Amino acid sequence: ALEASEEAVRIYRQLAAQHPEAFLPDLAMSFNNLGNRLSELGRWDEALAASEEAVRIRRQLAARHLDAFLPALASSLNNLGKSLSEMGRREEALKASEEAVSIRRQLAAQRPEAFLPDLASALHNLGVGLSELGRRNEALAATEETVRIRRQLAAQRPDAFLPDLAMSVNNLGGRLIELGRWDEALAASKEAVEISRRLSAQGLEAFLPDLARALGTRGAVLWAQGEAAGAAAAFKEGMVCLKPLFLREPAAFVPFMTNLVAGYVQTCQAGGVEVDSRLLSDIMPMLLGGKGEGGPD
């Protein structure tokens, strides 16, 4: 997928140099897609460069043809916010996310059937960005709005929107954890696990990371409530879910798997649960290879 995206950028760059009016929109789209592919592989600095180029071109296009290119600009701003966040540039990430939300709220007010999903996506990223900056009540409000929209969309088209709803409900659990609202966080994590388990039961690997995240959130809540054994079981199941993808593309999942392993080992020790050394023996060499000396003990 990355090779195809890189080739598309090369071709469209050549065409746009000759006929900018005709091919600049396609070049921007190819940069946007390239940024997404690089993000999936954990190559964040390159993803950021591609996202910045997509925003630059689409801002230029929107300045001349606002109605035609405003949705595309919002899409690239959304991706730029994610890339900046991954690089630790959180204030800049929040600024990009806020602009994306502002544009998409305007578009959704005019055509909700077309742009509500995009607004939910932008609000999702805004909630993450606000949380990273410690603005927890604002983060919760953004995440709650995301859940409301995606619940509405999933009720109408479950096949299309249930995965997004599961992710947002899981994020809601995380926001509630940050505010110490444990019972509500546990209910949200339970719902996220149920939805994600139902989706992954269809045999599609694409839903395994969402299930692993929901299980990680559930483990964190149970651990905070003193249920170490239950937390260890949740973390372990999350590791098992993520393992096939982690072993195939470790760079994309090292931070995620690190958190699951650390939570699992801690809760096993606290709850008197025997650590599954065979499971860890499959994971730790790749994990340490991706993190050097910084992996969990």
Side-chain angles (χ1 to χ4, degrees):
L2 176 62
E3 289 174 2
S5 295
E6 289 173 332
E7 185 176 1
V9 167
R10 286 194 296 271
I11 294 170
Y12 281 127
R13 198 193 292 276
Q14 177 184 343
L15 293 169
Q18 299 167 355
H19 306 286
E21 288 294 330
F23 292 108
L24 268 179
D26 294 320
L27 178 59
M29 178 183 65
S30 66
F31 270 117
N32 200 63
N33 292 341
L34 177 61
N36 288 335
R37 301 296 80 76
L38 289 163
S39 292
E40 291 167 355
L41 292 169
R43 293 165 59 175
W44 305 115
D45 52 346
E46 297 167 272
L48 175 60
S51 296
E52 288 175 329
E53 186 65 10
V55 167
R56 185 190 67 78
I57 297 171
R58 284 177 164 171
R59 204 181 286 284
Q60 173 186 337
L61 292 168
R64 287 182 283 172
H65 307 285
L66 184 64
D67 291 343
F69 293 107
L70 201 56
L73 174 59
S75 175
S76 291
L77 284 165
N78 206 42
N79 289 344
L80 177 62
K82 288 187 286 186
S83 296
L84 286 165
S85 177
E86 291 293 348
M87 295 293 291
R89 294 164 59 177
R90 293 175 177 172
E91 293 285 356
E92 295 169 88
L94 181 62
K95 184 178 178 181
S97 296
E98 287 175 331
E99 185 178 0
V101 167
S102 176
I103 294 171
R104 285 179 164 175
R105 201 181 288 285
Q106 171 188 338
L107 293 168
Q110 298 167 355
R111 293 179 56 199
E113 73 286 351
F115 292 111
L116 266 180
D118 293 334
L119 175 58
S121 176
L123 284 164
H124 167 89
N125 290 341
L126 178 62
V128 173
L130 288 164
S131 172
E132 289 174 344
L133 289 169
R135 294 164 60 175
R136 293 175 176 176
N137 287 307
E138 295 169 270
L140 177 62
T143 305
E144 286 175 330
E145 185 177 0
T146 308
V147 169
R148 284 196 299 272
I149 295 171
R150 286 181 165 167
R151 214 181 277 289
Q152 172 187 338
L153 293 169
Q156 299 166 353
R157 295 178 55 199
D159 290 346
F161 294 111
L162 265 180
D164 291 335
L165 177 60
M167 178 172 58
S168 293
V169 171
N170 188 57
N171 277 8
L172 177 61
R175 302 294 81 80
L176 291 163
I177 288 172
E178 292 168 353
L179 292 167
R181 293 163 60 173
W182 302 111
D183 290 341
E184 295 167 272
L186 185 61
S189 70
K190 180 180 178 181
E191 182 183 2
V193 167
E194 289 173 351
I195 297 172
S196 299
R197 205 188 294 284
R198 193 189 326 158
L199 292 168
S200 63
Q202 299 172 9
L204 299 175
E205 276 192 343
F207 298 123
L208 288 176
D210 290 335
L211 178 56
R213 286 187 184 91
L215 288 161
T217 301
R218 181 169 178 77
V221 177
L222 291 170
W223 173 228
Q225 293 184 318
E227 299 183 34
F235 285 126
K236 179 179 179 180
E237 187 180 355
M239 291 161 57
V240 170
C241 289
L242 191 62
K243 177 182 166 184
L245 297 175
F246 169 71
L247 295 180
R248 190 182 312 148
E249 297 287 354
F253 295 105
V254 162
F256 186 7
M257 182 61 87
T258 298
N259 289 336
L260 289 173
V261 170
Y264 175 60
V265 172
Q266 275 188 313
T267 51
C268 282
Q269 292 171 344
V273 177
E274 184 178 356
V275 171
D276 187 338
S277 56
R278 184 172 180 178
L279 176 61
L280 288 178
S281 70
D282 291 336
I283 293 171
M284 290 306 297
M286 301 274 297
L287 194 60
L288 293 173
K291 288 187 70 65
E293 296 300 319
D297 295 331

